[in-house]
Amino acid sequence: MPTSPARYSRSLDWVTVLIYLLMVGLGWLSVYAASYSPDAPADPLRNLSFSELMAFNWFKQILWIGTALALIVVLVVIDYKAYDTFAFVLYGGMIVLLLVTMVVARPIAGSRSWLELGPVRLQPAEFAKFTTALVVSRFMASINLRQQNFRDQLVLAGLTLLPPLLILASNETGQALVFGAFLLAYFREGMSPLILLILAAAGIILILALLVPKLWLVGVFTLILGLVLGLNRKALRHHLPLSLSVWAVVIGMVFGVDFFFNNVLQAHQRKRIEVLINPSADPLGVGWNVTQSKIAIGSGGLLGKGFLQGTQTKFDFVPEQSTDFIFCTVGEEWGWLGSTAVIILFMVLLWRILYVAERQKSVFGRTYGYCVASIFFFHFAINVGMTIGLAPVVGIPLPFFSYGGSSLWSFTTLLFILLGIDAYRKQDLER
């Protein structure tokens, strides 16, 4: 039976909607500040045609916001069962689109990841996130993750890994890395915590292998193995082959990191890791963005320089400042207090998404909610981390703040599909 607009309106989670609108509004102010020029006329709209206005990022962002608001209406009125029913169709269509993009897209900054439709450029990798979230949620709703067999594990891994592999083939590393965030959703649904521990340990070992002399690491790991086996005779008798196998894998990782670093990573990727480890390695080259970003954020002080008063922002010291490095505009003009307020706002949004996810009665809705939270958290943590030199520069946007239609539409779609699912859940409970 159709639901009246008033009843549907009451079912929508307006707290999350208001957080979204606030973040989009603050994001537009940041984009305007990042693209503002002190030499621009006082009235930027005076005597300018539409095509001339399209030269301004802040104006195009208004158009993206307007279309995103229209998209929201479509997303929230669609019955949530459609997302469940057509998850595999949407996923298959996105895989085809990623393949087409690899073939027809022209290289932009070394990446074939943008489709050009007249004056509009779209990045299919952004939209692959929500289609993958839908399909893995649909698949996980059909199995018990705690009791699934090896075949189910392979299917789940394949569904998760296919999009990022295609994105990597288009030379878009940052967007491919985002799909690793799905592990957090799988952990919520029963995936063994041992997998997360193994991956975390592997990451730590690889980082140490870049920072610490290899022979010293081998000695430390061998000593740890000897102490564990020496203190536990039972382990020595029953687990010696397994322990030696783990030790061999660890040592292989220690010595294999150099091969991966020198032969698998591209030159610009190696430079970014070198700059992360040693910020002074290439301050005028690859390290320029991060160096200038930290200068901009630090110059904001406690209260900031004021809206449109950022000197680093005005004079374009930070490349990509309206997209990947938008947070340094926040730091320079709004200061420590403003930056902290934005971080708190993201934390509130993430908490709200998890709250909405937990109250879902279906595995599909709950899993999708955790996928959304994981993707948002990854983007937020890595983007802010790379602007302050705590994460490598991988080129991913800050949700709702960075300029761009593809990212805004993608994050809007991710969030409002969840709110649509939640709204219909409430209506079902009322009937």
Side-chain angles (χ1 to χ4, degrees), residues 57-70:
N57 284 350
W58 60 265
F59 181 77
K60 286 187 284 188
Q61 192 70 2
I62 291 176
L63 300 181
W64 304 142
I65 292 172
T67 52
L69 295 177

Side-chain angles (χ1 to χ4, degrees), residues 11 62 80 115 152 156 169 187 195 202 210 228 234 250-251 273 294 312-313 325 339 393 396-397 399 406 417:
S11 301
I62 291 176
Y80 74 95
L115 287 178
D152 290 335
L156 183 60
F187 175 69
I195 296 177
L210 290 172
V228 170
K234 184 177 181 181
V250 170
I251 300 307
I273 295 176
K294 290 193 288 186
Q312 296 291 113
T313 297
F325 283 85
S339 300
V393 178
I396 59 174
S406 293
I417 285 179

Side-chain angles (χ1 to χ4, degrees), residues 51 96 113 144 150 207 247 274 298 300 329 414 431:
S51 60
V96 172
S113 58
N144 185 330
F150 185 65
I207 292 172
W247 178 86
E274 289 171 356
T329 301
L414 276 165
R431 291 190 179 107

Side-chain angles (χ1 to χ4, degrees), residues 59 101 142 154 214 241 259 359 373 402 404:
F59 181 77
T101 303
S142 66
L154 286 179
K214 307 282 189 299
F259 175 84
R359 69 186 182 191
S402 294

